[in-house]
Amino acid sequence: MNKNKEKKSFKVPHTFVIIFGILVLITILTWIIPGGEYDRVVNSSGRTVVDADSFKYIASNPQGLLDLLMAPLKGFVEKADVAAFILVVGGTFGIIQQTGAINAGILKVVKRFKGREILIIPIVICIFSLGGAVIGMAEETIPFAAIFVPLALGLGYDSITGMAMVFVGATVGFSSAMLNPFTVGIAKGIAEMPMKAGMGYRTVVWLIFTAVAAVYLMLYAKKVRNNPESSIMFEEDEKRRQELHLTTEEEEKEITLRQKLVLVALFLSMGLIVFGVLRYEWYINEIAGIFIGLGIIAGILNKMSANDIAENFITGAKDLAGAAMIVGLASGIVILCNEAHIMDTILYGLSRIIEPLPHLLSGYVMLIVQSVINFFVGSGTGQAALTIPIMVPLGELVDISREATILIYQFGNGFTDLIIPTSGTLIATLGITKIPFAKWGKWILKFLILIFILQLLFITPALLFPGLLS
């Protein structure tokens, strides 16, 4: 009896509870942190950035109880496109799941790769890491996680392995990128540095980070395959395998022509999305439109009636309603900071910590500062416009080159997206893969520590030998 009580008292809070607790904390801080702001100016590239020397304290706007309770709704409005995207993807996969096409396809892949399952992990990680590094893939990877989680389960791994292949792969690539237009490109434009500067060093950094991520996940996946109960998602995954009919009996069934056509439609849609992102800079709205069309086509190919298509869509969307709500809830954190006028004050306070420190230590603290700021400003573009005009001159005061400052910025802007609840991509991906935030956080923590050590190791030569990034 006592043991049960003890277990109950240590139960990890629900994601809603965790994020709402952060909202409460931020609300309290709005009464403590003074208001402040930087002036915004348009630079030579036509981009609006902060004026590093313009900070001034202004009247604060402490947030009350009603502001706290309204923040989730305002956050939901702010992130309506992401929330709606989650529902659309969920609805479409609800239709596709009903056709049995994905399950049948997964079982065929399992059969084809029997004895070589582990090879899928480095291949997928490298593909998504390259996408993150070259074209800045982030939100675009969300629907892919819905495909790779069932695949990982079919291969004998767990849902965390499936999600990590896509999400960790893309995030590692995005964060250690050599060409990412949304971080490296914009930061270099603001800092007035040539795009080719530091390309060689960044490419080496990207290769090593990607290799470490692949090896780490392969070792974990091998452990789970040998001992399924070692997975933090063991109970949930056992239920999901039964729901997906990923059993040895199902392996003997032949995939039908209609299922093959649904899979063809799915892969053509994925290809069209990649093409649209690369050629026409498609984003969430266009990708959501493709998924709506895919759902309709999949239903027609499976001879569903219009009512069946609608009902399956609603069922799939209903399963992800909680994830869509979490996106809005997390966005409320930033809403509270902005409406209280404390965001710039936080940035100013953090930047002042760096100024009196010695050269090498300044670079390390700058990384921590950028990581903290990423909690409040999740957009790579937004964070570059906010921090680069301040961090570049601040870095030069302590002999940190502009290229080293940009490298630190891209590390701080990206890697913490693996765990912070204000990352819309993380929350959306967790929702689609049905992995609780607390369990993901527990699993990713060791990897984050390893990655942080690697960040320090790569920043150090960049600080000591600026020529490496020339």
Side-chain angles (χ1 to χ4, degrees):
M1 190 69 149
N2 291 334
K3 285 184 180 178
N4 289 335
K5 284 184 180 178
E6 189 178 343
K7 282 182 183 178
K8 196 171 183 180
S9 63
F10 283 102
K11 187 176 180 181
V12 178
H14 189 280
T15 307
F16 271 67
V17 178
I18 294 171
I19 298 177
F20 193 78
I22 296 172
L23 281 169
V24 172
L25 177 61
I26 295 296
T27 302
I28 294 170
L29 289 176
T30 65
W31 291 84
I32 300 170
I33 300 173
E37 69 175 6
Y38 285 99
D39 292 336
R40 266 64 176 175
V41 297
V42 179
N43 66 8
S44 56
S45 303
R47 191 175 300 280
T48 301
V49 298
V50 300
D51 180 351
D53 300 317
S54 66
F55 180 81
K56 56 185 176 292
Y57 288 103
I58 62 172
S60 62
N61 181 31
Q63 301 294 283
L65 178 60
L66 186 58
D67 297 306
L68 167 65
L69 298 176
M70 289 192 300
L73 180 60
K74 291 180 179 179
F76 195 79
V77 171
E78 182 76 19
K79 292 290 184 180
D81 56 347
V82 178
F85 179 65
I86 293 171
L87 297 177
V88 166
V89 172
T92 297
F93 274 99
I95 297 169
I96 295 174
Q97 194 62 47
Q98 197 64 30
T99 70
I102 290 180
N103 302 347
I106 287 169
L107 292 171
K108 288 300 174 187
V109 172
V110 171
K111 201 171 181 180
R112 181 72 59 88
F113 277 85
K114 206 161 187 75
R116 297 172 294 145
E117 298 89 351
I118 200 71
L119 295 178
I120 292 177
I121 294 174
I123 292 170
V124 174
I125 283 183
C126 287
I127 289 171
F128 283 99
S129 180
L130 185 63
V134 176
I135 62 172
M137 283 186 75
E139 291 90 346
E140 297 87 350
T141 64
I142 293 170
F144 289 93
I147 298 171
F148 282 96
V149 165
L151 176 60
L153 293 176
L155 293 170
Y157 305 130
D158 64 352
S159 51
I160 283 179
T161 302
M163 173 174 161
M165 280 192 278
V166 176
F167 180 68
V168 172
T171 304
V172 164
F174 188 97
S175 309
S176 60
M178 72 295 280
L179 288 171
N180 187 344
F182 302 110
T183 55
V184 178
I186 288 172
K188 281 176 175 285
I190 294 172
E192 299 179 341
M193 297 299 293
M195 194 65 191
K196 65 180 180 180
M199 183 79 70
Y201 188 74
R202 283 188 172 85
T203 301
V204 172
V205 168
W206 170 73
L207 285 169
I208 294 174
F209 270 115
T210 302
V212 168
V215 171
Y216 186 92
L217 189 57
M218 287 167 72
L219 291 173
Y220 170 76
K222 187 176 179 181
K223 183 182 81 169
V224 168
R225 187 173 171 80
N226 292 335
N227 179 19
E229 292 186 14
S230 66
S231 168
I232 198 170
M233 289 291 294
F234 174 70
E235 292 181 6
E236 293 89 338
D237 286 347
E238 283 297 291
K239 292 178 184 175
R240 189 178 296 187
R241 282 190 181 93
Q242 293 173 7
E243 292 171 1
L244 294 173
H245 306 294
L246 298 175
T247 62
T248 53
E249 290 80 9
E250 294 288 329
E251 288 186 38
E252 303 304 319
K253 291 184 179 179
E254 284 298 317
I255 186 169
T256 67
L257 176 61
R258 291 188 182 280
Q259 289 172 335
K260 287 178 181 178
L261 291 173
V262 170
L263 289 176
V264 168
L266 174 61
F267 288 118
L268 285 176
S269 297
M270 295 296 118
L272 182 58
I273 287 170
V274 172
F275 174 77
V277 169
L278 289 172
R279 183 71 182 269
Y280 300 110
E281 298 183 356
W282 284 0
Y283 192 50
I284 284 178
N285 289 344
E286 292 84 357
I287 298 172
I290 296 297
F291 267 92
I292 290 174
L294 171 62
I296 295 170
I297 291 169
I300 292 171
L301 289 173
N302 202 52
K303 292 182 112 177
M304 291 183 189
S305 68
N307 282 351
D308 287 339
I309 292 174
E311 287 172 7
N312 287 319
F313 184 90
I314 290 169
T315 299
K318 190 167 33 174
D319 288 342
L320 295 184
M325 293 300 295
I326 289 171
V327 169
L329 192 65
S331 181
I333 295 169
V334 180
I335 298 288
L336 286 174
C337 290
N338 285 333
E339 293 194 347
H341 309 307
I342 65 171
M343 185 71 81
D344 285 5
T345 308
I346 293 171
L347 174 61
Y348 176 75
L350 291 172
S351 66
R352 293 305 96 191
I353 296 172
I354 299 169
E355 192 172 359
L357 297 175
H359 174 62
L360 204 57
L361 188 57
S362 293
Y364 297 156
V365 174
M366 190 182 287
L367 173 63
I368 296 171
V369 167
Q370 289 285 13
S371 299
V372 171
I373 292 171
N374 193 44
F375 180 89
F376 299 98
V377 186
S379 163
T381 305
Q383 191 171 335
L386 182 66
T387 65
I388 292 297
I390 296 170
M391 294 302 176
V392 164
L394 194 61
E396 289 177 335
L397 288 175
V398 289
D399 294 324
I400 297 176
S401 70
R402 293 189 177 197
E403 280 298 331
T405 297
I406 293 169
L407 183 69
I408 291 169
Y409 147 75
Q410 69 180 93
F411 283 175
N413 169 256
F415 284 115
T416 48
D417 282 341
L418 291 167
I419 197 168
I420 57 173
T422 50
S423 167
T425 305
L426 169 61
I427 297 302
T429 308
L430 288 174
I432 283 175
T433 56
K434 300 179 183 177
I435 298 174
F437 175 80
K439 291 198 173 186
W440 171 261
K442 186 176 180 180
W443 179 82
I444 200 69
L445 191 57
K446 288 181 183 177
F447 180 70
L448 271 175
I449 293 170
L450 173 61
I451 288 296
F452 183 72
I453 293 170
L454 280 177
Q455 289 174 66
L456 295 180
L457 289 176
F458 284 123
I459 287 170
T460 301
L463 294 171
L464 297 177
F465 309 103
L468 287 172
L469 289 168
S470 61

Coordinates of all heavy atoms in Angstrom, one line a residue, residues 109-117 155 225 251:
V109 N 8.3 -3.9 -45.8 CA 9.7 -3.4 -45.5 C 10.4 -4.2 -44.5 O 11.6 -4.5 -44.6 CB 9.6 -1.9 -45.0 CG1 10.9 -1.4 -44.5 CG2 9.0 -1.0 -46.1
V110 N 9.6 -4.6 -43.4 CA 10.2 -5.5 -42.4 C 10.7 -6.8 -42.9 O 11.8 -7.2 -42.6 CB 9.2 -5.8 -41.3 CG1 9.7 -6.8 -40.3 CG2 8.8 -4.5 -40.5
K111 N 9.9 -7.4 -43.8 CA 10.3 -8.6 -44.5 C 11.6 -8.4 -45.3 O 12.5 -9.3 -45.4 CB 9.2 -9.1 -45.3 CG 9.2 -10.6 -45.6 CD 7.9 -11.1 -46.2 CE 7.9 -12.6 -46.5 NZ 6.6 -13.0 -47.1
R112 N 11.6 -7.3 -46.1 CA 12.7 -7.1 -47.0 C 14.0 -6.8 -46.2 O 15.1 -7.2 -46.7 CB 12.4 -5.8 -47.9 CG 13.4 -5.4 -48.9 CD 13.4 -6.4 -50.0 NE 12.2 -6.5 -50.7 CZ 11.8 -5.7 -51.7 NH1 12.6 -4.8 -52.1 NH2 10.7 -5.9 -52.4
F113 N 13.9 -6.1 -45.1 CA 15.1 -5.7 -44.4 C 15.4 -6.7 -43.2 O 16.2 -6.4 -42.3 CB 15.0 -4.3 -43.8 CG 15.3 -3.2 -44.8 CD1 14.4 -2.8 -45.7 CD2 16.6 -2.7 -44.8 CE1 14.7 -1.8 -46.6 CE2 16.9 -1.7 -45.7 CZ 16.0 -1.2 -46.6
K114 N 14.8 -7.9 -43.2 CA 15.0 -8.8 -42.1 C 16.5 -9.1 -41.9 O 17.2 -9.5 -42.9 CB 14.3 -10.1 -42.4 CG 13.9 -10.9 -41.2 CD 12.8 -11.9 -41.4 CE 12.3 -12.5 -40.2 NZ 11.5 -11.7 -39.4
G115 N 17.0 -8.9 -40.7 CA 18.5 -9.1 -40.5 C 19.3 -7.8 -40.7 O 20.5 -7.8 -40.3
R116 N 18.7 -6.8 -41.4 CA 19.5 -5.6 -41.7 C 18.7 -4.4 -41.3 O 18.9 -3.3 -41.8 CB 19.8 -5.5 -43.2 CG 20.7 -6.6 -43.7 CD 20.7 -6.6 -45.2 NE 19.4 -6.9 -45.8 CZ 19.0 -6.3 -47.0 NH1 19.7 -5.4 -47.6 NH2 17.8 -6.7 -47.4
E117 N 17.8 -4.6 -40.3 CA 16.9 -3.5 -39.9 C 17.7 -2.2 -39.4 O 17.2 -1.1 -39.6 CB 16.0 -4.0 -38.7 CG 15.1 -5.1 -39.1 CD 15.7 -6.5 -38.9 OE1 16.9 -6.5 -38.6 OE2 15.0 -7.5 -38.9
L155 N 9.8 -2.9 -37.1 CA 11.1 -3.4 -37.1 C 11.6 -3.9 -35.8 O 12.7 -4.4 -35.6 CB 12.1 -2.3 -37.6 CG 11.9 -1.8 -39.0 CD1 12.8 -0.6 -39.3 CD2 12.3 -3.0 -40.0
R225 N 15.6 -3.4 -29.1 CA 15.2 -4.7 -29.8 C 15.6 -5.9 -29.0 O 14.9 -6.9 -29.0 CB 16.0 -4.7 -31.2 CG 15.5 -5.8 -32.1 CD 16.2 -5.6 -33.4 NE 16.0 -6.8 -34.3 CZ 14.9 -7.0 -35.0 NH1 13.9 -6.2 -34.9 NH2 14.7 -8.1 -35.7
E251 N 2.1 -10.7 -41.4 CA 3.1 -10.6 -42.4 C 2.8 -11.5 -43.6 O 3.3 -11.3 -44.7 CB 4.5 -11.1 -41.8 CG 5.0 -10.0 -40.9 CD 6.4 -10.5 -40.3 OE1 7.2 -11.0 -41.1 OE2 6.7 -10.2 -39.2

